[in-house]
Amino acid sequence: MYTQSVEISAAADDENDARLAAFEAKLDRGIAIEADDWMPAAYRETLVRQISQHAHSEYVGMLPEANWISRAPSLERKCVLLAKVQDEAGHALYLYSAAETLGTSRDEMLAALLSGRAKYSSIFNYPTLTWADVGTIGWLVDGAAIINQVPLTRCSYGPYARAMVRVCKEESFHQRQGFDVLATLCSGTPEQRALAQDALDRWWWPAVMMFGPPDAQSSHNERSMRWKIKHFTNDELRQRFVDQTVPQAAHLGLTIPDPALRFNAERGHYDFGTPNWDEFFAVLRGGGPCNRERLGARVAAHDDGAWVRAAAAAHALKRAERATSVA
Ligand code: BYC
């Protein structure tokens, strides 16, 4: 009996080793892992964590800009902003769907967000005080999103990578609309230029921090890079963002609020100051200027939508009953 159970467990180990070897060989050869493929439990967990956090960020990320839809300065700006905010809802849907392929339901993910257990991007816990903030979000936040997300189109998990292709195309349009809002303000009156500068002053550091904690404090960088979920570390992407954004700010005639910012010819990159990481971690713990408001808005929307979910469920039940009685 004992010998038989040792043999069974040795066979199970062999099978697991073979599956792991096949999984790793796929990663090495750049073959996507698909929903039905075997994967280590920790790989699945990491993906559910990252993809659901990403989905929550898109879902909460609608709020700061939606705040300005009714106050956009022209009909054209209003239409463009409406389209952008609707795109963010679409991104959340693609991402929740990608995460669902890993065996976690959308209800479970939403429950984690609404109860405050799940994270969403720190950046959306800052207020949009003026119209210039809408342009700055498009320029900086969507600009940062593109830098972070283009490599995710090559993420080892197929459904996530494919969702990111369309997301990135739409983020490009968002970045351009934001830059256009700011370019218009910056070529306007001194008051309009001051609005743009004030928005950059408030959003610069939160945007720099969006890429996550410094590599030395990142808990997931190493393993996610090994599994080809991430292709670059947080600090590598942050540097790319600064290098790309400095010339754009110069083009707009705006000053980045960082006295340490200067081009380092030896490195071929901009040196820049250290973000306030205490502030970043405080925002993650729920202590940002708008954490309560953002989560409160999502909880209220969920509660207000209870009748829609009940009606949809009743309709689905009726259809199923009708289908059974016809059969
Ligand atoms: N905010 O080991 P690390 C958008 C957490 S949507 C909050 O580096 P990882 C847009 C991290 O989750 C923007 N939390 O983690 C939408 C982890 O906590 P847990 C969102 C953050 O996962 C609408 C801990 O800190 N984009 O762009 O390897 C309109 C340690 O971090 C943040 C995505 O989600 C943060 N900023 O790397 C406009 C992209 N940073 O889970 C724009 C996909 C870190 O251990 N996600 N944390 O409790 C990623 O690329 C990666 O998840 C991150 C973090 C780079 C964000």
Side-chain angles (χ1 to χ4, degrees):
M1 186 72 172
Y2 174 74
T3 326
Q4 196 187 1
S5 75
V6 169
E7 273 170 12
I8 290 172
S9 104
D13 283 351
D14 286 350
E15 197 187 335
N16 255 345
D17 289 351
R19 284 164 159 180
L20 188 61
F23 169 81
E24 284 173 352
K26 273 191 176 174
L27 291 186
D28 290 345
R29 284 164 35 222
I31 299 175
I33 309 296
E34 297 297 339
D36 292 338
D37 292 346
W38 183 89
M39 60 187 83
Y43 176 83
R44 187 184 297 275
E45 258 169 50
T46 291
L47 281 169
V48 170
R49 179 189 62 80
Q50 176 167 327
I51 303 173
S52 63
Q53 283 177 8
H54 193 167
H56 299 328
S57 304
E58 301 282 356
Y59 184 44
V60 175
M62 296 163 72
L63 295 168
E65 292 172 290
N67 181 32
W68 279 89
I69 290 174
S70 60
R71 291 175 287 162
S74 69
L75 182 60
E76 193 192 344
R77 292 286 189 210
K78 189 184 184 109
C79 291
V80 172
L81 185 57
L82 258 176
K84 179 183 191 295
V85 172
Q86 283 175 347
D87 284 351
E88 310 301 358
H91 298 175
L93 282 175
Y94 316 149
L95 289 161
Y96 283 126
S97 301
E100 279 185 310
T101 63
L102 292 154
T104 306
S105 73
R106 193 180 308 176
D107 284 348
E108 285 173 85
M109 292 184 268
L110 272 179
L113 171 71
L114 300 177
S115 66
R117 274 181 290 128
K119 289 193 170 75
Y120 59 86
S121 183
S122 49
I123 194 78
F124 300 118
N125 291 306
Y126 292 86
T128 38
L129 304 179
T130 72
W131 172 248
D133 290 15
V134 172
T136 309
I137 290 181
W139 172 38
L140 295 184
V141 176
D142 288 276
I146 293 167
I147 289 174
N148 169 268
Q149 291 168 19
V150 166
L152 290 174
T153 63
R154 291 184 289 112
C155 161
S156 57
Y157 187 57
Y160 189 27
R162 290 190 289 274
M164 293 319 297
V165 173
R166 178 157 171 185
V167 170
C168 285
K169 286 187 181 157
E170 292 176 351
E171 301 292 24
S172 275
F173 151 66
H174 298 168
Q175 200 265 353
R176 278 159 196 236
Q177 73 82 34
F179 193 79
D180 185 63
V181 166
L182 280 186
T184 305
L185 289 174
C186 289
S187 59
T189 63
E191 288 80 4
Q192 286 173 312
R193 279 198 294 277
L195 272 187
Q197 182 62 54
D198 171 62
L200 176 58
D201 290 347
R202 285 180 290 106
W203 286 91
W204 174 253
W205 289 111
V208 170
M209 291 192 277
M210 257 181 90
F211 293 89
D215 289 350
Q217 289 178 59
S218 157
S219 34
H220 306 291
N221 254 349
E222 198 203 317
R223 202 160 62 166
S224 290
M225 300 268 292
R226 186 153 37 83
W227 279 333
K228 299 192 177 165
I229 295 171
K230 282 166 108 167
H231 288 275
F232 300 97
T233 70
N234 300 353
D235 286 337
E236 285 168 343
L237 294 176
R238 196 177 346 268
Q239 179 71 63
R240 210 175 264 197
F241 171 74
V242 173
D243 289 346
Q244 177 182 295
T245 312
V246 172
Q248 295 172 355
H251 179 84
L252 291 170
L254 296 174
T255 306
I256 290 179
D258 179 1
L261 187 71
R262 61 183 58 85
F263 190 70
N264 181 329
E266 221 169 278
R267 291 199 310 120
H269 295 287
Y270 282 90
D271 290 337
F272 56 99
T274 306
N276 181 346
W277 291 116
D278 289 343
E279 175 183 315
F280 173 77
F281 288 114
V283 172
L284 260 56
R285 287 193 300 271
C290 297
N291 290 62
R292 265 165 172 268
E293 189 185 321
R294 299 291 182 240
L295 205 54
R298 290 284 55 133
V299 170
H302 189 75
D303 292 349
D304 289 349
W307 70 271
V308 179
R309 292 191 297 281
H315 180 65
L317 188 68
K318 272 266 171 279
R319 273 177 59 152
E321 278 169 5
R322 225 174 294 142
T324 333
S325 69
V326 169

